[in-house]
Structures are given as C-alpha cells and as structure tokens.
Amino acid sequence: MIALGLDINPNRVYYYKIRVNVIHAKGAYGIAPVNISYYTFMHIKDKEYHEFGPWLLEIKSPEDIPPQYIEETDQILSASYAFKVPVLLVRREIRPGALMYNQVVMLFKDHIAMLEYHEGALRTREMKFSEMEYTVHGGELLSSYMKFSGGGDSMKITYNSVSNDVTEHVMDHIRRAVLSFKDLRGRVEESQNDGPHNDQDLELDGSLSELKDSQIYKYFCIKEVPKTPLEIIAYQPFVNLTEHLPIRLPYFLEKFYMYKLNDTLFMTSPNELIIANRDRTIQKSGDVNYAFAHTFIPLAGIQSVHMVADDKFEALGIIEIELEGLTNVRISVENSFDISRLQNALKRYGR
C-alpha cells in the first residue's frame, strides 16, 4: 500500500517516472518497514531476481542488500566486508520479492556477525575473533561450508563451491584476525599480501617432501591458495580396518562389513597447525567420498597434543588436540602413528 492510496501488487514490477514514498513493502515472506521510494524498492527486487544464483555475492552498495534486510542497511554497509548467502532453491522456484538470501554475513575488525531471516524476523549472531579457537573449510562436490568454533559455540556458513573468490577472502580475513588476537610469538607479516606462494616456495620436511605431489596436498593448495610457507610434519595414509576375507564378499555385504581409515595430512604455517583430510576420517569401504576438510588451529591456542585409545577399532588411536577454550579437536590415526612430530612442532613454537 503506497501513500497515494493505490493498491499495488508487490509481486509485479511497475515502471513510473514519478517517485512515491512507500510506507510498507509487502513481500512473499511478510511486511518489512522501509524508507525508500517505491521505484527504488521495485528496482532492488527486480535486480536481485535477475542476479540470483547458487553463489555467494559481496554486498558493496545499498542496492545489493536483499529487501528483507533493508532495516539493517547501516550496519551492513559499515562492515569491512559483507556478503549474502542464497537459499537452497533452484531458480524456477524463485520469484521477485521472495526470500532469496537467508543469511547476510559481515566482517568487522574484532568480530563476525550474521543476520538470519527466519519466519519473518531477523536474528543476529556474533562471534568475537578473540574467542575463536579454530576454523574449518570443508565440503563435498558443490556443497561446501566454513565453520568457526570457540568457547563451546560454533558458526557455520553453507555455500556452493562456485563461490571461491568470496570464501578465499573471508577465510584469509578471519584467520588473520584470529591470529592477531592470540598471544603470538611472531605476528602475521604484511608480506603475506604479496600473493600465493609457488610450490618451490613451500618449505617441506625432507623425509616427507614427496607428499607435495599427493592429491590431498595439491587439493589443499588449490582450495586455500597458501600465502605463507608450509611445512609438512606428518602423514597418516589410508588403512583397511577390517581383515580381508579369503573370498570376495558381494558388494552389498562388503559395504556394511569393511571399513577404512582415510588419509590425513598435518602441516604447519608460521603460526598455525593445519590438518587436511577427507572430512570423514573413518568410512565404509564401499562408500564413495569426495569430501574435504581443512582445519586451521592457531599454534598459540594449543595447550597439549596426546593420543587416546579408540573404543571401536583396536588398531586405531585418537589424537586429541587440547585448546585453550572448551573445544578439543580429535583426529583418528593408527596406533603406530608418531605423535612426537606434532609435539615437536609445538615445542619449536614454544608451547
């Protein structure tokens, strides 16, 4: 309903040469108060519809803000970086004015904030960088996620893998911010802005240097584009966890009977312990796994690293990385895994 008293269909785009102030703009998900012209509001709806896709989009101007979030325009534009997360719908199920982005994420100097549109209302979540204990970048095929954990809480952003340009910037920003709030012996150098390092620039342990040609290492470099030298400190290879039978089981039986331990690569950058694996460290042998998970833990936040027994598989142990807060990171490895390589890396850092 507009100030002139005319009934306007909110799901149809009208083009006028005059500008009319809108009191309320009714969309498919309820009524939201706005302070823009009717023409501007309809232009935003139309522009958003034509730009919609499964990718994350950076918010650079008021026109990039979804209509459901207009009341938070000042907060969104005050962020050093902001982007919107699309709903999991195909384009043919979307119409102008419908909810197309269920999250807007903002990066500030000392925290990350997330606006979520749920059941006609906006909810705000925040997490301080000083409280983050580790970050994870993972996914499988086109479904990916970024997860930030600390203080017993976590924040997860699910997105389509085509959005590498946005996620690369976000992960880099947050990792730097978290490190800057830790009690680091060496601060993150400005030289990191020089761009990605080549394979020749990455510092690799001599006994493990052949792993630079492994799929898990190469995929890490593709997804994360490392900007600091890396050192590979340990590797857990694939292991079958069930004894092979003298005869080959039918596939449908083997799938439920046989298990395997997936490989895991442990690396360090100047200030982080980095763990690259297949997201699911233990899986059925017959299952297909295209997943990845890259975990980044500030070395300054690690209290200890030790191994405990696995209750289900006798051949396995579980590495527990104890952090400053309420969260521990657990990784399954063989009983024979040399945990001293991780412990020595912490000693070199002074932990």
Side-chain angles (χ1 to χ4, degrees), residues 175 188-189 191-205 217 220-221 225-233 267-274 299:
R175 287 170 57 199
V188 179
E189 300 295 337
S191 61
Q192 291 182 18
N193 294 320
D194 294 341
H197 285 238
N198 298 321
D199 281 346
Q200 292 82 1
D201 299 328
L202 302 177
E203 300 174 3
L204 301 175
D205 184 289
Y217 177 79
F220 173 85
C221 292
V225 191
K227 298 179 176 62
T228 57
L230 300 177
E231 180 184 2
I232 297 177
I233 58 173
M267 300 172 282
T268 56
S269 68
N271 295 314
E272 292 174 302
L273 172 64
I274 302 172
L299 288 167

PDB file of all heavy atoms in Angstrom, residues 175 188-189 191-205 217 220-221 225-233 267-274 299:
ATOM      1  N   ARG A 175      41.211 -15.871   9.458  1.00  0.00           N
ATOM      2  CA  ARG A 175      42.417 -16.497  10.000  1.00  0.00           C
ATOM      3  C   ARG A 175      43.409 -15.441  10.475  1.00  0.00           C
ATOM      4  O   ARG A 175      44.024 -15.581  11.536  1.00  0.00           O
ATOM      5  CB  ARG A 175      43.058 -17.396   8.940  1.00  0.00           C
ATOM      6  CG  ARG A 175      42.293 -18.697   8.692  1.00  0.00           C
ATOM      7  CD  ARG A 175      42.828 -19.424   7.476  1.00  0.00           C
ATOM      8  NE  ARG A 175      44.259 -19.705   7.606  1.00  0.00           N
ATOM      9  CZ  ARG A 175      45.040 -19.994   6.582  1.00  0.00           C
ATOM     10  NH1 ARG A 175      44.540 -20.040   5.351  1.00  0.00           N
ATOM     11  NH2 ARG A 175      46.317 -20.257   6.778  1.00  0.00           N
ATOM     12  N   VAL A 188      51.586 -11.917  12.163  1.00  0.00           N
ATOM     13  CA  VAL A 188      51.414 -12.154  10.741  1.00  0.00           C
ATOM     14  C   VAL A 188      52.068 -11.002   9.987  1.00  0.00           C
ATOM     15  O   VAL A 188      51.795  -9.836  10.249  1.00  0.00           O
ATOM     16  CB  VAL A 188      49.919 -12.226  10.376  1.00  0.00           C
ATOM     17  CG1 VAL A 188      49.747 -12.450   8.890  1.00  0.00           C
ATOM     18  CG2 VAL A 188      49.264 -13.337  11.175  1.00  0.00           C
ATOM     19  N   GLU A 189      52.950 -11.323   9.081  1.00  0.00           N
ATOM     20  CA  GLU A 189      53.704 -10.298   8.373  1.00  0.00           C
ATOM     21  C   GLU A 189      52.886  -9.730   7.218  1.00  0.00           C
ATOM     22  O   GLU A 189      52.096 -10.404   6.579  1.00  0.00           O
ATOM     23  CB  GLU A 189      55.011 -10.889   7.825  1.00  0.00           C
ATOM     24  CG  GLU A 189      55.925 -11.450   8.905  1.00  0.00           C
ATOM     25  CD  GLU A 189      56.441 -10.375   9.844  1.00  0.00           C
ATOM     26  OE1 GLU A 189      56.458  -9.200   9.433  1.00  0.00           O
ATOM     27  OE2 GLU A 189      56.808 -10.720  10.983  1.00  0.00           O
ATOM     28  N   SER A 191      53.994  -9.086   4.456  1.00  0.00           N
ATOM     29  CA  SER A 191      54.444  -9.687   3.206  1.00  0.00           C
ATOM     30  C   SER A 191      53.491 -10.761   2.702  1.00  0.00           C
ATOM     31  O   SER A 191      53.562 -11.178   1.556  1.00  0.00           O
ATOM     32  CB  SER A 191      55.843 -10.298   3.390  1.00  0.00           C
ATOM     33  OG  SER A 191      55.812 -11.317   4.366  1.00  0.00           O
ATOM     34  N   GLN A 192      52.569 -11.213   3.564  1.00  0.00           N
ATOM     35  CA  GLN A 192      51.604 -12.220   3.134  1.00  0.00           C
ATOM     36  C   GLN A 192      50.704 -11.670   2.029  1.00  0.00           C
ATOM     37  O   GLN A 192      50.099 -12.424   1.286  1.00  0.00           O
ATOM     38  CB  GLN A 192      50.747 -12.687   4.308  1.00  0.00           C
ATOM     39  CG  GLN A 192      51.523 -13.488   5.326  1.00  0.00           C
ATOM     40  CD  GLN A 192      50.608 -13.973   6.440  1.00  0.00           C
ATOM     41  OE1 GLN A 192      49.413 -13.998   6.289  1.00  0.00           O
ATOM     42  NE2 GLN A 192      51.193 -14.365   7.540  1.00  0.00           N
ATOM     43  N   ASN A 193      50.615 -10.362   1.922  1.00  0.00           N
ATOM     44  CA  ASN A 193      49.774  -9.769   0.898  1.00  0.00           C
ATOM     45  C   ASN A 193      50.402  -9.851  -0.493  1.00  0.00           C
ATOM     46  O   ASN A 193      49.795  -9.441  -1.470  1.00  0.00           O
ATOM     47  CB  ASN A 193      49.486  -8.300   1.225  1.00  0.00           C
ATOM     48  CG  ASN A 193      48.644  -8.157   2.481  1.00  0.00           C
ATOM     49  OD1 ASN A 193      47.734  -8.936   2.696  1.00  0.00           O
ATOM     50  ND2 ASN A 193      48.947  -7.176   3.303  1.00  0.00           N
ATOM     51  N   ASP A 194      51.626 -10.348  -0.597  1.00  0.00           N
ATOM     52  CA  ASP A 194      52.308 -10.406  -1.873  1.00  0.00           C
ATOM     53  C   ASP A 194      51.687 -11.399  -2.826  1.00  0.00           C
ATOM     54  O   ASP A 194      51.997 -11.405  -3.999  1.00  0.00           O
ATOM     55  CB  ASP A 194      53.793 -10.761  -1.659  1.00  0.00           C
ATOM     56  CG  ASP A 194      54.526  -9.655  -0.905  1.00  0.00           C
ATOM     57  OD1 ASP A 194      54.015  -8.517  -0.867  1.00  0.00           O
ATOM     58  OD2 ASP A 194      55.589  -9.959  -0.356  1.00  0.00           O
ATOM     59  N   GLY A 195      50.850 -12.300  -2.317  1.00  0.00           N
ATOM     60  CA  GLY A 195      50.195 -13.260  -3.187  1.00  0.00           C
ATOM     61  C   GLY A 195      50.581 -14.676  -2.846  1.00  0.00           C
ATOM     62  O   GLY A 195      51.405 -14.928  -1.969  1.00  0.00           O
ATOM     63  N   PRO A 196      49.984 -15.641  -3.552  1.00  0.00           N
ATOM     64  CA  PRO A 196      50.240 -17.047  -3.232  1.00  0.00           C
ATOM     65  C   PRO A 196      51.671 -17.444  -3.517  1.00  0.00           C
ATOM     66  O   PRO A 196      52.312 -16.919  -4.428  1.00  0.00           O
ATOM     67  CB  PRO A 196      49.251 -17.786  -4.141  1.00  0.00           C
ATOM     68  CG  PRO A 196      48.957 -16.838  -5.238  1.00  0.00           C
ATOM     69  CD  PRO A 196      49.035 -15.465  -4.649  1.00  0.00           C
ATOM     70  N   HIS A 197      52.168 -18.409  -2.730  1.00  0.00           N
ATOM     71  CA  HIS A 197      53.497 -18.950  -2.940  1.00  0.00           C
ATOM     72  C   HIS A 197      53.441 -20.073  -3.961  1.00  0.00           C
ATOM     73  O   HIS A 197      52.463 -20.810  -4.042  1.00  0.00           O
ATOM     74  CB  HIS A 197      54.063 -19.506  -1.628  1.00  0.00           C
ATOM     75  CG  HIS A 197      54.505 -18.428  -0.688  1.00  0.00           C
ATOM     76  ND1 HIS A 197      55.782 -18.344  -0.226  1.00  0.00           N
ATOM     77  CD2 HIS A 197      53.844 -17.383  -0.134  1.00  0.00           C
ATOM     78  CE1 HIS A 197      55.895 -17.301   0.594  1.00  0.00           C
ATOM     79  NE2 HIS A 197      54.734 -16.718   0.659  1.00  0.00           N
ATOM     80  N   ASN A 198      54.504 -20.226  -4.739  1.00  0.00           N
ATOM     81  CA  ASN A 198      54.622 -21.362  -5.633  1.00  0.00           C
ATOM     82  C   ASN A 198      55.035 -22.590  -4.855  1.00  0.00           C
ATOM     83  O   ASN A 198      55.498 -22.496  -3.716  1.00  0.00           O
ATOM     84  CB  ASN A 198      55.664 -21.079  -6.723  1.00  0.00           C
ATOM     85  CG  ASN A 198      55.271 -19.907  -7.602  1.00  0.00           C
ATOM     86  OD1 ASN A 198      54.097 -19.763  -7.927  1.00  0.00           O
ATOM     87  ND2 ASN A 198      56.224 -19.078  -7.956  1.00  0.00           N
ATOM     88  N   ASP A 199      54.903 -23.765  -5.475  1.00  0.00           N
ATOM     89  CA  ASP A 199      55.337 -24.994  -4.816  1.00  0.00           C
ATOM     90  C   ASP A 199      56.799 -24.911  -4.411  1.00  0.00           C
ATOM     91  O   ASP A 199      57.209 -25.452  -3.396  1.00  0.00           O
ATOM     92  CB  ASP A 199      55.141 -26.197  -5.742  1.00  0.00           C
ATOM     93  CG  ASP A 199      53.691 -26.643  -5.770  1.00  0.00           C
ATOM     94  OD1 ASP A 199      52.934 -26.199  -4.901  1.00  0.00           O
ATOM     95  OD2 ASP A 199      53.334 -27.428  -6.664  1.00  0.00           O
ATOM     96  N   GLN A 200      57.601 -24.212  -5.222  1.00  0.00           N
ATOM     97  CA  GLN A 200      59.018 -24.119  -4.909  1.00  0.00           C
ATOM     98  C   GLN A 200      59.270 -23.292  -3.651  1.00  0.00           C
ATOM     99  O   GLN A 200      60.310 -23.420  -3.012  1.00  0.00           O
ATOM    100  CB  GLN A 200      59.774 -23.488  -6.084  1.00  0.00           C
ATOM    101  CG  GLN A 200      59.817 -24.376  -7.328  1.00  0.00           C
ATOM    102  CD  GLN A 200      58.543 -24.271  -8.144  1.00  0.00           C
ATOM    103  OE1 GLN A 200      57.635 -23.520  -7.793  1.00  0.00           O
ATOM    104  NE2 GLN A 200      58.452 -25.034  -9.223  1.00  0.00           N
ATOM    105  N   ASP A 201      58.322 -22.424  -3.297  1.00  0.00           N
ATOM    106  CA  ASP A 201      58.493 -21.565  -2.137  1.00  0.00           C
ATOM    107  C   ASP A 201      58.086 -22.249  -0.839  1.00  0.00           C
ATOM    108  O   ASP A 201      58.391 -21.766   0.245  1.00  0.00           O
ATOM    109  CB  ASP A 201      57.653 -20.287  -2.281  1.00  0.00           C
ATOM    110  CG  ASP A 201      58.074 -19.483  -3.491  1.00  0.00           C
ATOM    111  OD1 ASP A 201      59.272 -19.522  -3.830  1.00  0.00           O
ATOM    112  OD2 ASP A 201      57.205 -18.829  -4.088  1.00  0.00           O
ATOM    113  N   LEU A 202      57.346 -23.362  -0.924  1.00  0.00           N
ATOM    114  CA  LEU A 202      56.829 -24.010   0.265  1.00  0.00           C
ATOM    115  C   LEU A 202      57.913 -24.871   0.904  1.00  0.00           C
ATOM    116  O   LEU A 202      58.528 -25.708   0.255  1.00  0.00           O
ATOM    117  CB  LEU A 202      55.613 -24.869  -0.098  1.00  0.00           C
ATOM    118  CG  LEU A 202      54.469 -24.096  -0.751  1.00  0.00           C
ATOM    119  CD1 LEU A 202      53.358 -25.050  -1.139  1.00  0.00           C
ATOM    120  CD2 LEU A 202      53.961 -23.004   0.150  1.00  0.00           C
ATOM    121  N   GLU A 203      58.147 -24.654   2.186  1.00  0.00           N
ATOM    122  CA  GLU A 203      59.191 -25.363   2.886  1.00  0.00           C
ATOM    123  C   GLU A 203      58.680 -26.719   3.336  1.00  0.00           C
ATOM    124  O   GLU A 203      57.795 -26.808   4.178  1.00  0.00           O
ATOM    125  CB  GLU A 203      59.659 -24.541   4.088  1.00  0.00           C
ATOM    126  CG  GLU A 203      60.220 -23.182   3.686  1.00  0.00           C
ATOM    127  CD  GLU A 203      60.536 -22.332   4.890  1.00  0.00           C
ATOM    128  OE1 GLU A 203      60.366 -22.828   6.035  1.00  0.00           O
ATOM    129  OE2 GLU A 203      60.952 -21.191   4.701  1.00  0.00           O
ATOM    130  N   LEU A 204      59.252 -27.796   2.794  1.00  0.00           N
ATOM    131  CA  LEU A 204      58.780 -29.139   3.081  1.00  0.00           C
ATOM    132  C   LEU A 204      59.845 -29.927   3.817  1.00  0.00           C
ATOM    133  O   LEU A 204      61.029 -29.829   3.510  1.00  0.00           O
ATOM    134  CB  LEU A 204      58.407 -29.865   1.783  1.00  0.00           C
ATOM    135  CG  LEU A 204      57.312 -29.192   0.939  1.00  0.00           C
ATOM    136  CD1 LEU A 204      57.140 -29.932  -0.364  1.00  0.00           C
ATOM    137  CD2 LEU A 204      56.013 -29.128   1.698  1.00  0.00           C
ATOM    138  N   ASP A 205      59.423 -30.689   4.819  1.00  0.00           N
ATOM    139  CA  ASP A 205      60.316 -31.591   5.516  1.00  0.00           C
ATOM    140  C   ASP A 205      60.933 -32.567   4.513  1.00  0.00           C
ATOM    141  O   ASP A 205      60.237 -33.130   3.671  1.00  0.00           O
ATOM    142  CB  ASP A 205      59.515 -32.352   6.580  1.00  0.00           C
ATOM    143  CG  ASP A 205      60.392 -33.246   7.429  1.00  0.00           C
ATOM    144  OD1 ASP A 205      60.860 -34.258   6.884  1.00  0.00           O
ATOM    145  OD2 ASP A 205      60.598 -32.935   8.611  1.00  0.00           O
ATOM    146  N   TYR A 217      47.500 -32.928  -0.801  1.00  0.00           N
ATOM    147  CA  TYR A 217      48.276 -31.687  -0.665  1.00  0.00           C
ATOM    148  C   TYR A 217      47.963 -30.719  -1.808  1.00  0.00           C
ATOM    149  O   TYR A 217      47.760 -29.521  -1.600  1.00  0.00           O
ATOM    150  CB  TYR A 217      49.762 -32.012  -0.637  1.00  0.00           C
ATOM    151  CG  TYR A 217      50.648 -30.785  -0.568  1.00  0.00           C
ATOM    152  CD1 TYR A 217      50.855 -30.125   0.634  1.00  0.00           C
ATOM    153  CD2 TYR A 217      51.262 -30.288  -1.721  1.00  0.00           C
ATOM    154  CE1 TYR A 217      51.658 -28.987   0.691  1.00  0.00           C
ATOM    155  CE2 TYR A 217      52.054 -29.157  -1.663  1.00  0.00           C
ATOM    156  CZ  TYR A 217      52.252 -28.515  -0.462  1.00  0.00           C
ATOM    157  OH  TYR A 217      53.032 -27.391  -0.401  1.00  0.00           O
ATOM    158  N   PHE A 220      44.617 -29.144  -1.344  1.00  0.00           N
ATOM    159  CA  PHE A 220      44.686 -28.090  -0.324  1.00  0.00           C
ATOM    160  C   PHE A 220      45.193 -26.788  -0.931  1.00  0.00           C
ATOM    161  O   PHE A 220      44.630 -25.715  -0.680  1.00  0.00           O
ATOM    162  CB  PHE A 220      45.598 -28.524   0.825  1.00  0.00           C
ATOM    163  CG  PHE A 220      45.849 -27.435   1.836  1.00  0.00           C
ATOM    164  CD1 PHE A 220      44.957 -27.225   2.878  1.00  0.00           C
ATOM    165  CD2 PHE A 220      46.955 -26.609   1.732  1.00  0.00           C
ATOM    166  CE1 PHE A 220      45.166 -26.208   3.798  1.00  0.00           C
ATOM    167  CE2 PHE A 220      47.175 -25.585   2.649  1.00  0.00           C
ATOM    168  CZ  PHE A 220      46.273 -25.391   3.687  1.00  0.00           C
ATOM    169  N   CYS A 221      46.232 -26.847  -1.726  1.00  0.00           N
ATOM    170  CA  CYS A 221      46.801 -25.642  -2.334  1.00  0.00           C
ATOM    171  C   CYS A 221      45.821 -24.984  -3.304  1.00  0.00           C
ATOM    172  O   CYS A 221      45.768 -23.759  -3.408  1.00  0.00           O
ATOM    173  CB  CYS A 221      48.108 -25.981  -3.041  1.00  0.00           C
ATOM    174  SG  CYS A 221      49.453 -26.463  -1.922  1.00  0.00           S
ATOM    175  N   VAL A 225      44.910 -21.671  -1.504  1.00  0.00           N
ATOM    176  CA  VAL A 225      45.905 -20.767  -2.078  1.00  0.00           C
ATOM    177  C   VAL A 225      46.824 -20.243  -0.965  1.00  0.00           C
ATOM    178  O   VAL A 225      46.755 -19.075  -0.585  1.00  0.00           O
ATOM    179  CB  VAL A 225      45.232 -19.588  -2.820  1.00  0.00           C
ATOM    180  CG1 VAL A 225      46.274 -18.821  -3.645  1.00  0.00           C
ATOM    181  CG2 VAL A 225      44.101 -20.058  -3.696  1.00  0.00           C
ATOM    182  N   PRO A 226      47.696 -21.089  -0.399  1.00  0.00           N
ATOM    183  CA  PRO A 226      48.512 -20.679   0.752  1.00  0.00           C
ATOM    184  C   PRO A 226      49.383 -19.470   0.452  1.00  0.00           C
ATOM    185  O   PRO A 226      50.008 -19.378  -0.604  1.00  0.00           O
ATOM    186  CB  PRO A 226      49.358 -21.923   1.046  1.00  0.00           C
ATOM    187  CG  PRO A 226      49.305 -22.749  -0.185  1.00  0.00           C
ATOM    188  CD  PRO A 226      47.988 -22.462  -0.827  1.00  0.00           C
ATOM    189  N   LYS A 227      49.402 -18.531   1.387  1.00  0.00           N
ATOM    190  CA  LYS A 227      50.154 -17.285   1.234  1.00  0.00           C
ATOM    191  C   LYS A 227      51.365 -17.228   2.160  1.00  0.00           C
ATOM    192  O   LYS A 227      52.051 -16.206   2.216  1.00  0.00           O
ATOM    193  CB  LYS A 227      49.233 -16.092   1.491  1.00  0.00           C
ATOM    194  CG  LYS A 227      48.068 -15.984   0.500  1.00  0.00           C
ATOM    195  CD  LYS A 227      47.185 -14.805   0.813  1.00  0.00           C
ATOM    196  CE  LYS A 227      46.084 -14.649  -0.233  1.00  0.00           C
ATOM    197  NZ  LYS A 227      45.189 -15.805  -0.292  1.00  0.00           N
ATOM    198  N   THR A 228      51.591 -18.285   2.922  1.00  0.00           N
ATOM    199  CA  THR A 228      52.759 -18.374   3.783  1.00  0.00           C
ATOM    200  C   THR A 228      53.435 -19.723   3.549  1.00  0.00           C
ATOM    201  O   THR A 228      52.795 -20.667   3.088  1.00  0.00           O
ATOM    202  CB  THR A 228      52.374 -18.263   5.276  1.00  0.00           C
ATOM    203  OG1 THR A 228      51.425 -19.289   5.583  1.00  0.00           O
ATOM    204  CG2 THR A 228      51.777 -16.902   5.588  1.00  0.00           C
ATOM    205  N   PRO A 229      54.731 -19.846   3.855  1.00  0.00           N
ATOM    206  CA  PRO A 229      55.409 -21.137   3.688  1.00  0.00           C
ATOM    207  C   PRO A 229      54.765 -22.215   4.545  1.00  0.00           C
ATOM    208  O   PRO A 229      54.324 -21.964   5.663  1.00  0.00           O
ATOM    209  CB  PRO A 229      56.848 -20.837   4.153  1.00  0.00           C
ATOM    210  CG  PRO A 229      56.991 -19.360   4.035  1.00  0.00           C
ATOM    211  CD  PRO A 229      55.639 -18.788   4.322  1.00  0.00           C
ATOM    212  N   LEU A 230      54.698 -23.431   4.009  1.00  0.00           N
ATOM    213  CA  LEU A 230      54.130 -24.565   4.719  1.00  0.00           C
ATOM    214  C   LEU A 230      55.215 -25.603   4.987  1.00  0.00           C
ATOM    215  O   LEU A 230      56.148 -25.756   4.201  1.00  0.00           O
ATOM    216  CB  LEU A 230      53.012 -25.221   3.905  1.00  0.00           C
ATOM    217  CG  LEU A 230      51.807 -24.371   3.542  1.00  0.00           C
ATOM    218  CD1 LEU A 230      50.849 -25.188   2.684  1.00  0.00           C
ATOM    219  CD2 LEU A 230      51.111 -23.865   4.777  1.00  0.00           C
ATOM    220  N   GLU A 231      55.049 -26.329   6.064  1.00  0.00           N
ATOM    221  CA  GLU A 231      55.928 -27.451   6.377  1.00  0.00           C
ATOM    222  C   GLU A 231      55.069 -28.670   6.671  1.00  0.00           C
ATOM    223  O   GLU A 231      54.211 -28.634   7.556  1.00  0.00           O
ATOM    224  CB  GLU A 231      56.811 -27.149   7.589  1.00  0.00           C
ATOM    225  CG  GLU A 231      57.742 -28.306   7.950  1.00  0.00           C
ATOM    226  CD  GLU A 231      58.543 -28.039   9.209  1.00  0.00           C
ATOM    227  OE1 GLU A 231      58.355 -26.971   9.825  1.00  0.00           O
ATOM    228  OE2 GLU A 231      59.333 -28.920   9.590  1.00  0.00           O
ATOM    229  N   ILE A 232      55.255 -29.737   5.904  1.00  0.00           N
ATOM    230  CA  ILE A 232      54.540 -30.995   6.167  1.00  0.00           C
ATOM    231  C   ILE A 232      55.263 -31.695   7.312  1.00  0.00           C
ATOM    232  O   ILE A 232      56.455 -31.983   7.229  1.00  0.00           O
ATOM    233  CB  ILE A 232      54.520 -31.885   4.922  1.00  0.00           C
ATOM    234  CG1 ILE A 232      53.749 -31.187   3.793  1.00  0.00           C
ATOM    235  CG2 ILE A 232      53.870 -33.231   5.244  1.00  0.00           C
ATOM    236  CD1 ILE A 232      53.728 -31.954   2.483  1.00  0.00           C
ATOM    237  N   ILE A 233      54.542 -31.973   8.392  1.00  0.00           N
ATOM    238  CA  ILE A 233      55.195 -32.563   9.568  1.00  0.00           C
ATOM    239  C   ILE A 233      54.784 -34.007   9.810  1.00  0.00           C
ATOM    240  O   ILE A 233      55.503 -34.739  10.507  1.00  0.00           O
ATOM    241  CB  ILE A 233      54.909 -31.727  10.839  1.00  0.00           C
ATOM    242  CG1 ILE A 233      53.398 -31.619  11.097  1.00  0.00           C
ATOM    243  CG2 ILE A 233      55.527 -30.340  10.715  1.00  0.00           C
ATOM    244  CD1 ILE A 233      53.053 -30.957  12.425  1.00  0.00           C
ATOM    245  N   MET A 267      50.225 -30.237   8.682  1.00  0.00           N
ATOM    246  CA  MET A 267      51.177 -29.208   8.242  1.00  0.00           C
ATOM    247  C   MET A 267      51.223 -28.075   9.254  1.00  0.00           C
ATOM    248  O   MET A 267      50.330 -27.950  10.099  1.00  0.00           O
ATOM    249  CB  MET A 267      50.757 -28.643   6.882  1.00  0.00           C
ATOM    250  CG  MET A 267      50.691 -29.651   5.752  1.00  0.00           C
ATOM    251  SD  MET A 267      49.967 -28.954   4.231  1.00  0.00           S
ATOM    252  CE  MET A 267      48.211 -28.990   4.653  1.00  0.00           C
ATOM    253  N   THR A 268      52.271 -27.265   9.151  1.00  0.00           N
ATOM    254  CA  THR A 268      52.329 -26.032   9.936  1.00  0.00           C
ATOM    255  C   THR A 268      52.679 -24.878   9.012  1.00  0.00           C
ATOM    256  O   THR A 268      53.443 -25.031   8.058  1.00  0.00           O
ATOM    257  CB  THR A 268      53.375 -26.097  11.068  1.00  0.00           C
ATOM    258  OG1 THR A 268      54.652 -26.418  10.508  1.00  0.00           O
ATOM    259  CG2 THR A 268      52.988 -27.122  12.120  1.00  0.00           C
ATOM    260  N   SER A 269      52.071 -23.744   9.288  1.00  0.00           N
ATOM    261  CA  SER A 269      52.496 -22.477   8.715  1.00  0.00           C
ATOM    262  C   SER A 269      53.228 -21.753   9.854  1.00  0.00           C
ATOM    263  O   SER A 269      53.340 -22.306  10.944  1.00  0.00           O
ATOM    264  CB  SER A 269      51.276 -21.687   8.232  1.00  0.00           C
ATOM    265  OG  SER A 269      50.489 -21.267   9.335  1.00  0.00           O
ATOM    266  N   PRO A 270      53.742 -20.549   9.653  1.00  0.00           N
ATOM    267  CA  PRO A 270      54.444 -19.885  10.760  1.00  0.00           C
ATOM    268  C   PRO A 270      53.648 -19.803  12.059  1.00  0.00           C
ATOM    269  O   PRO A 270      54.237 -19.815  13.141  1.00  0.00           O
ATOM    270  CB  PRO A 270      54.716 -18.491  10.183  1.00  0.00           C
ATOM    271  CG  PRO A 270      54.869 -18.722   8.725  1.00  0.00           C
ATOM    272  CD  PRO A 270      53.872 -19.797   8.387  1.00  0.00           C
ATOM    273  N   ASN A 271      52.313 -19.750  11.987  1.00  0.00           N
ATOM    274  CA  ASN A 271      51.523 -19.536  13.206  1.00  0.00           C
ATOM    275  C   ASN A 271      50.365 -20.501  13.391  1.00  0.00           C
ATOM    276  O   ASN A 271      49.582 -20.338  14.327  1.00  0.00           O
ATOM    277  CB  ASN A 271      50.967 -18.104  13.233  1.00  0.00           C
ATOM    278  CG  ASN A 271      52.058 -17.064  13.323  1.00  0.00           C
ATOM    279  OD1 ASN A 271      52.979 -17.196  14.115  1.00  0.00           O
ATOM    280  ND2 ASN A 271      51.978 -16.038  12.491  1.00  0.00           N
ATOM    281  N   GLU A 272      50.226 -21.495  12.514  1.00  0.00           N
ATOM    282  CA  GLU A 272      49.072 -22.382  12.575  1.00  0.00           C
ATOM    283  C   GLU A 272      49.466 -23.840  12.416  1.00  0.00           C
ATOM    284  O   GLU A 272      50.441 -24.158  11.720  1.00  0.00           O
ATOM    285  CB  GLU A 272      48.078 -22.041  11.459  1.00  0.00           C
ATOM    286  CG  GLU A 272      47.381 -20.702  11.594  1.00  0.00           C
ATOM    287  CD  GLU A 272      46.535 -20.403  10.375  1.00  0.00           C
ATOM    288  OE1 GLU A 272      47.085 -20.379   9.258  1.00  0.00           O
ATOM    289  OE2 GLU A 272      45.316 -20.190  10.526  1.00  0.00           O
ATOM    290  N   LEU A 273      48.679 -24.713  13.047  1.00  0.00           N
ATOM    291  CA  LEU A 273      48.678 -26.133  12.731  1.00  0.00           C
ATOM    292  C   LEU A 273      47.535 -26.342  11.744  1.00  0.00           C
ATOM    293  O   LEU A 273      46.405 -25.933  12.010  1.00  0.00           O
ATOM    294  CB  LEU A 273      48.463 -26.976  13.987  1.00  0.00           C
ATOM    295  CG  LEU A 273      48.250 -28.485  13.761  1.00  0.00           C
ATOM    296  CD1 LEU A 273      49.493 -29.122  13.159  1.00  0.00           C
ATOM    297  CD2 LEU A 273      47.853 -29.171  15.060  1.00  0.00           C
ATOM    298  N   ILE A 274      47.831 -26.989  10.609  1.00  0.00           N
ATOM    299  CA  ILE A 274      46.837 -27.185   9.565  1.00  0.00           C
ATOM    300  C   ILE A 274      46.637 -28.676   9.346  1.00  0.00           C
ATOM    301  O   ILE A 274      47.611 -29.420   9.181  1.00  0.00           O
ATOM    302  CB  ILE A 274      47.275 -26.521   8.248  1.00  0.00           C
ATOM    303  CG1 ILE A 274      47.519 -25.026   8.475  1.00  0.00           C
ATOM    304  CG2 ILE A 274      46.224 -26.732   7.154  1.00  0.00           C
ATOM    305  CD1 ILE A 274      48.144 -24.330   7.279  1.00  0.00           C
ATOM    306  N   LEU A 299      48.654 -21.969  16.592  1.00  0.00           N
ATOM    307  CA  LEU A 299      49.588 -22.690  17.472  1.00  0.00           C
ATOM    308  C   LEU A 299      49.570 -22.111  18.883  1.00  0.00           C
ATOM    309  O   LEU A 299      49.744 -22.839  19.866  1.00  0.00           O
ATOM    310  CB  LEU A 299      50.992 -22.629  16.889  1.00  0.00           C
ATOM    311  CG  LEU A 299      51.231 -23.477  15.629  1.00  0.00           C
ATOM    312  CD1 LEU A 299      52.543 -23.097  14.966  1.00  0.00           C
ATOM    313  CD2 LEU A 299      51.202 -24.954  15.960  1.00  0.00           C
TER     314      LEU A 299
END
